[in-house]
Amino acid sequence: MQTHFKKIIEALGEDPHREGLKDTPERAAKAMEYLTEGYRQSVDQIVNGALFESDDDEMILVKNIELYSLCEHHLLPFIGKCHVAYLPNGKIIGLSKIARLVDVFAKRLQVQENLTKQIAQTLRSVTNAKGVGVIIEAQHLCMMMRGVEKQNSIMTTSVMLGLLREDPRTRAEFLSLVGSPLSRG
Ligand code: ZN
């Protein structure tokens, strides 16, 4: 990757050997590796048995999980918040694991819609939950810095599975707890 970053710097018309840039290919490669480390992690490894028996059947919600990802169309960041809810079905998952599941998919090249779906489907299959809801609200640097240059637009995507999809009251509860614009119609 370092070689390629060096070529990109040259293609920009810059001198990759000047003081400020001489270590940049190495740094950029390391940063890119970190931002895409989700490719080298597995869901099993992350969950690592942190599933606990429980007869709790109330909705469990983790709000405002920080989200950093890279759009697969421009390799530019999109940044935002992720809200995750599920209705347990005999098993609950450690809270920190939910944030890590968000990360394992966010740290790949993504489109926001697919990221939302992957988080929801994975949480459902890992916990066997009766319902799962995931909302992502994010700002895309590819929109803010280039192209249409819309500075304040926030893209919202949501995926509802099981009871969160089928039961309007459960779904409404989730949306109002999150304070999502989706709940205000
Ligand atoms: Zn983009």
Side-chain angles (χ1 to χ4, degrees), residues 49-56 88-94:
L51 286 167
F52 311 100
E53 302 284 318
S54 166
D55 54 9
D56 191 359
N89 188 15
K91 271 190 277 183
I92 55 171
I93 185 170

Side-chain angles (χ1 to χ4, degrees), residues 112-135:
Q112 188 176 327
E113 294 89 335
N114 293 342
L115 174 59
T116 314
K117 205 178 293 170
Q118 288 161 6
I119 296 166
Q121 288 171 344
T122 302
L123 183 62
R124 182 145 203 224
S125 73
V126 166
T127 61
N128 193 31
K130 289 180 209 157
V132 169
V134 176
I135 296 176

